[in-house]
Every structure is written in structure tokens, then in C-alpha cells.
Amino acid sequence: MTVTAADLDEAIGFAAATLGPLGDGDWTRPAGELDWDCRATAEHLGDVLLSYASQVVSGPADHYVRFLATADAGASPADLLEFVVAAGRLLASAVRTAGPQARAYHPSGSADPAGFAAMGCAELLMHAEDIARGQRGQETVLDAPGEVCARVVARLFPEQEPALRGAATAWDALRWCTGRIALPGRPRRGEWAWHGEPLEDSSRTRP
């Protein structure tokens, strides 16, 4: 269930296919239920993907590489999507070239390349839906790639994944894990966090 650069490629393609047709919309509308508008959400997405790529290639143990990536003030929705796709591809390239033993700081735990790939996929999939909802309406539900979602849930939410397997689609499981929806018998999560540290690292340090 390791998340790979190929999963990132698929998530990037999903985001591009979802958001590309929305380039004529008003990206100052709120993105789904977020406090950000669609423009700020896309800008965040580009920044966080570049940040993850920087973590993978530089490997700081106790901090983020200190920068903030922003789009030009006059950037169009198409420009913002180009920023997101470029940042995602840089992260995929970083994951492809990193050794499996590489580790870098993340608040959820020192993450390996698969962890950063999984976090990048989650950001792409969830925020693509947020922006689509801002443009098409809150009832919009996308059909994200199920196998990618399943691997992301297994990597980032290992404590939840066994119970969710077979109880919901992988996409709904990811949406539930990240507080987007309720599931039958499972209320919507008000707080959540993913597991950045590889499970094998956790087991080695457990007393």
C-alpha cells in the first residue's frame, strides 16, 4: 500500500481535469466549506506541494524549508492551475529520486517520501473538490481515483483504515478521515490529523 510518485501523477491529472474547465469562473468565491476562496486554496495547494518537495530533497529534521510560494496578483485561474500542476510534478520528481530511507520534518511526524507523496495526493484530491464546490455548488461530489485514495488512507490514517475497508468507498473513506463528510454510524470528524511518520519507524521507537 505504499504511495508512490505514480499516485501523485494520477492525483495531479485528476486535479487538472477537474479544475481546467472551471477557468472562466469567479475564483473569489469560497472554496467549499473552507474559510479560503478558490484562488487562495489553489495558491495554498501550489505552496504546500512545493514545500513537500523541498522537504524531500533537503531533509531538514526539525523545521520546514523557510519560504512561502505565492502566485502573481494578476494570475488567472489557468495560471493558478499551472502553478498547482508544476508544484505537483516537482514533488513527484522529488519522490522518484529520493531513497526510501530519506526522512524530513513534518508536524505529523518525520515523514518518508511515501508519506509526502500521500500528503500531496490528499491535498490535491481534497482541495480540487473544495474548489469545484466553490464553482459548481456545495452539492458537487467528484469521483476521485479509488486505488489512490485507498493507498492514501492506509498510509496517513492507519488507525482508521481497517474499520473503513469495505464499509465505504475509498474516496468516501478519505473524505471522512479528513473531516469532509459523515458516514453511516460515524459522525463527521471535528478534529483530525494524519500520520506522517512511517509505521515501521513508530514501531522501532515504541517502548
Side-chain angles (χ1 to χ4, degrees), residues 57-145:
V57 299
S58 60
D62 59 359
H63 63 276
Y64 276 121
V65 178
R66 291 182 170 87
F67 70 89
L68 177 65
T70 60
D72 289 344
S76 67
D79 295 329
L80 292 167
L81 180 54
E82 183 178 49
F83 175 29
V84 168
V85 169
R89 288 175 177 166
L90 287 169
L91 174 57
S93 295
V95 170
R96 278 192 173 91
T97 57
Q101 300 307 313
R103 300 290 184 272
Y105 170 82
H106 188 273
S108 64
S110 181
D112 60 348
F116 283 109
M119 289 185 270
C121 287
E123 297 276 0
L124 283 157
L125 300 175
M126 303 313 307
H127 287 319
E129 183 175 68
D130 292 331
I131 295 171
R133 286 188 165 195
Q135 297 301 303
R136 296 177 181 168
Q138 290 283 38
E139 300 308 311
T140 299
V141 178
L142 305 180
D143 185 19

Side-chain angles (χ1 to χ4, degrees), residues 36 41-55 64 67-69 83-84 87-88 91 106 116 119-120 122-124 127 194:
W36 295 327
T41 303
E43 198 167 34
H44 158 76
L45 189 47
D47 174 59
V48 76
L49 294 171
L50 284 177
S51 179
Y52 291 167
S54 297
Q55 295 303 98
Y64 276 121
F67 70 89
L68 177 65
F83 175 29
V84 168
L91 174 57
H106 188 273
F116 283 109
M119 289 185 270
E123 297 276 0
L124 283 157
H127 287 319
W194 52 43

